[in-house]
Amino acid sequence: MLRVVFDTSVLVSVALTPKGVPAQAYEAWRALRFSLFTTRAIIHEVRTTLGYARIRRRYDCAEAADGIMRALHQKAMFVSGTAEVSVYVRDPKDYMILSAAAEAEAHVLVSSDQDLLVLGSYEGTMILSPRQFLTWLDSIKPEKS
């Protein structure tokens, strides 16, 4: 089964823009097109970001955020996210994303973060934007069970 990690930016976008491209990638996971891997730290960062007062004032996302958190806890595969990262990234928070991808042995890391996208890949994991990921996902043949 295809192994994927979503960056925090993608999961936050799903809650804020339910009809956007990141939400389409999220729905592909919900349709069981791939296995989604995450960490407690990624979920914590998503919850913290969506809990900011400025976000809550601007977006009516509480219900969507709760649904995403519930789905992640119930259906996503968890890794510890403690694998050592051997590449420099500008934002220290990106280390936890790369660590999760490495530990999950992910085929793809989906991110909207330019600091990660510029890497192109890490430890055999492709790093794609949500749009690139959907195009790539549609181009591959589903695995037979």
Side-chain angles (χ1 to χ4, degrees):
M1 177 66 97
L2 185 62
R3 302 164 74 90
V4 177
V5 170
F6 283 168
D7 181 7
T8 307
S9 62
V10 173
L11 293 167
V12 167
S13 292
V14 171
L16 301 182
T17 315
K19 300 214 185 286
V21 175
Q24 292 171 35
Y26 175 81
E27 289 306 321
W29 166 60
R30 303 279 293 161
L32 306 176
R33 294 188 64 194
F34 55 87
S35 295
L36 183 65
F37 286 77
T38 194
T39 67
R40 302 267 178 235
I42 291 171
I43 288 179
H44 176 74
E45 186 177 8
V46 171
R47 182 179 287 121
T48 299
T49 302
L50 292 174
Y52 290 144
R54 69 180 187 277
I55 299 282
R56 295 284 178 145
R57 278 193 305 271
R58 185 167 179 199
Y59 298 93
D60 182 21
C61 65
E63 189 175 324
D66 290 345
I68 292 165
M69 292 296 116
R70 208 170 23 261
L72 290 171
H73 281 290
Q74 292 173 356
K75 308 272 186 204
M77 307 295 289
F78 281 81
V79 293
S80 67
T82 57
E84 192 170 320
V85 174
S86 62
V87 67
Y88 171 78
V89 288
R90 187 188 57 82
D91 183 351
K93 289 182 180 180
D94 290 339
Y95 287 109
M96 75 174 175
I97 306 299
L98 292 172
S99 178
E103 192 172 331
E105 297 179 357
H107 297 97
V108 183
L109 166 58
V110 182
S111 180
S112 299
D113 184 333
Q114 288 302 313
D115 289 335
L116 291 173
L117 290 168
V118 73
L119 296 175
S121 67
Y122 177 72
E123 299 286 323
T125 299
M126 293 184 294
I127 304 173
L128 303 175
S129 71
R131 186 172 308 282
Q132 291 170 324
F133 173 66
L134 287 173
T135 300
W136 178 81
L137 186 62
D138 286 342
S139 75
I140 62 172
K141 295 182 187 213
E143 293 180 7
K144 295 188 179 184
S145 302

